[in-house]
């Protein structure tokens, strides 16, 4: 081996060692938890981490694991029989029983996919309820929605990409009802500048850490009256949308 080749190889090895050392220092400084590691299984009892959203999306390809997680959560739910066809085929929809605090979706007939239900459980427990109690002084008793499943393309167009609603991997949230009877509406309260508006913005921001897509009235007029959450699969290092 020629001397220049040896020197070049040595330089590359030195740079690799520097990069590896820098990564180790960064890892030690950040002190990531189990919830931040992409290779650890999702746990509903852990705080929201850097990899939580991607782990939820991964459940769209593992119905059995998702249902097992949902059963372990204590949620009283009923798996739906598969329905639809082609791009609108849904095999993992679930319906939460009404009258329970874990996932009080309204109307009670709404049936999101199992992974969507998992994401909503985490969002409700770790974002919605804490923010409601801190800002509004009361827990949320009902999360009002415009539904989950809809066999259509994005924005109802006649061509183009299919909406995540077509596989029930999306949910539109229109408002919240508190235990004290107070109602918070995305349409009426988003731009209010009061505690209701602050609550809505906090729960939107929290959703951004869990769902692939989170859209609010800040996005466009089509979302003036609801939040849109979905689990679009954009790959292991895929981007997320938060507006």
């Amino acid at each position: 081996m020629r001397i220049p080749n040896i020197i070049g190889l040595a330089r590359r090895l030195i740079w690799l060692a520097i990069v590896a050392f820098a990564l180790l220092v960064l890892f030690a400084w950040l002190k990531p938890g189990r919830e931040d590691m992409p290779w650890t299984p999702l746990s509903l009892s852990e705080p929201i981490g850097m990899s939580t959203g991607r782990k939820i999306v991964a459940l769209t390809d593992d119905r059995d694991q998702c249902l097992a997680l949902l059963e372990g959560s204590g949620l009283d739910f009923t798996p739906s029989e598969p329905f639809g066809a082609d791009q609108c085929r849904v095999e993992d929809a679930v319906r939460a029983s009404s009258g329970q605090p874990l996932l009080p979706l309204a109307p009670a007939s709404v049936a999101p996919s199992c992974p969507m239900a998992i994401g909503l459980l985490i969002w409700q427990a770790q974002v919605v309820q804490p923010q409601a109690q801190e800002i509004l002084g009361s827990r949320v008793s009902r999360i009002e929605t415009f539904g989950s499943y809809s066999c259509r393309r994005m924005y109802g167009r006649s061509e183009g990409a299919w909406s995540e609603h077509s596989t029930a991997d999306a949910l539109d949230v229109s408002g919240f009802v508190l235990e004290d009877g107070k109602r918070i509406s995305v349409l009426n309260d988003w731009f209010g500048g009061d505690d209701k508006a602050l609550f809505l913005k906090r729960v939107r921001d929290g959703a951004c850490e869990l769902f692939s897509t989170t859209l609010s009235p800040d996005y466009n007029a089509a979302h003036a009256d609801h939040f849109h959450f979905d689990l679009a699969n954009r790959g292991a290092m895929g981007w997320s949308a938060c507006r």
Side-chain angles (χ1 to χ4, degrees):
M1 183 179 290
R2 297 178 179 179
I3 296 299
N5 290 342
I6 295 175
I7 294 174
L9 178 60
R11 286 175 176 171
R12 286 193 290 272
L13 289 174
I14 291 171
W15 275 112
L16 285 174
I18 292 172
V19 170
F21 178 75
L23 289 174
L24 285 173
V25 171
L26 180 63
F27 184 86
W29 179 68
L30 291 175
K31 296 180 179 177
R34 186 178 181 278
E35 65 276 5
D36 298 312
M37 307 298 187
W39 53 82
T40 59
L42 177 66
S43 171
L44 303 188
S45 62
E46 293 175 349
I48 298 170
M50 292 184 293
S51 296
T52 303
R54 288 191 290 274
K55 292 176 184 179
I56 295 171
V57 171
L59 293 173
T60 59
D61 294 323
D62 197 337
R63 180 177 182 271
D64 291 343
Q65 181 188 357
C66 187
L67 290 176
L69 271 174
L70 209 55
E71 289 170 356
S73 72
L75 181 71
D76 184 12
F77 71 97
T78 303
S80 299
E81 290 295 324
F83 59 89
D86 301 325
Q87 290 89 350
C88 295
R89 179 69 172 174
V90 180
E91 298 185 347
D92 59 355
V94 297
R95 180 174 288 111
S97 302
S98 60
Q100 57 180 322
L102 282 179
L103 195 59
L105 299 180
S109 59
V110 66
S113 69
C114 178
M116 196 69 210
I118 291 290
L120 292 168
L121 274 174
I122 298 173
W123 178 64
Q124 202 248 171
Q126 299 194 36
V127 179
V128 174
Q129 296 294 12
Q131 293 298 331
Q133 290 182 294
E134 176 184 337
I135 299 171
L136 303 170
S138 178
R139 289 178 59 83
V140 168
S141 64
R142 188 165 72 247
I143 300 174
E144 298 180 329
T145 80
F146 287 154
S148 179
Y149 176 75
S150 177
C151 182
R152 61 175 174 81
R153 298 178 190 272
M154 292 179 65
Y155 294 103
R157 296 168 180 157
S158 59
E159 58 184 18
W162 286 86
S163 168
E164 293 299 312
H165 283 288
S166 66
T167 52
D169 287 315
L171 186 78
D172 291 337
V173 172
S174 60
F176 306 82
V177 178
L178 304 184
E179 290 180 347
D180 62 10
K182 187 182 299 181
R183 183 173 183 272
I184 297 92
S185 163
V186 175
L187 177 63
N188 297 326
D189 299 316
W190 180 260
F191 296 106
D194 56 7
D195 285 347
K196 290 184 178 181
L198 177 61
F199 167 76
L200 288 172
K201 289 174 173 59
R202 290 272 186 89
V203 297
R204 187 276 310 270
D205 292 347
C208 291
E209 299 181 26
L210 289 166
F211 302 107
S212 302
T213 309
T214 300
L215 302 177
S216 71
D218 280 349
Y219 181 55
N220 61 13
H223 295 84
D225 59 356
H226 69 278
F227 296 147
H228 168 87
F229 305 146
D230 74 44
L231 298 177
N233 191 340
R234 302 186 180 109
M237 301 301 291
W239 53 275
S240 61
C242 175
R243 282 293 304 276

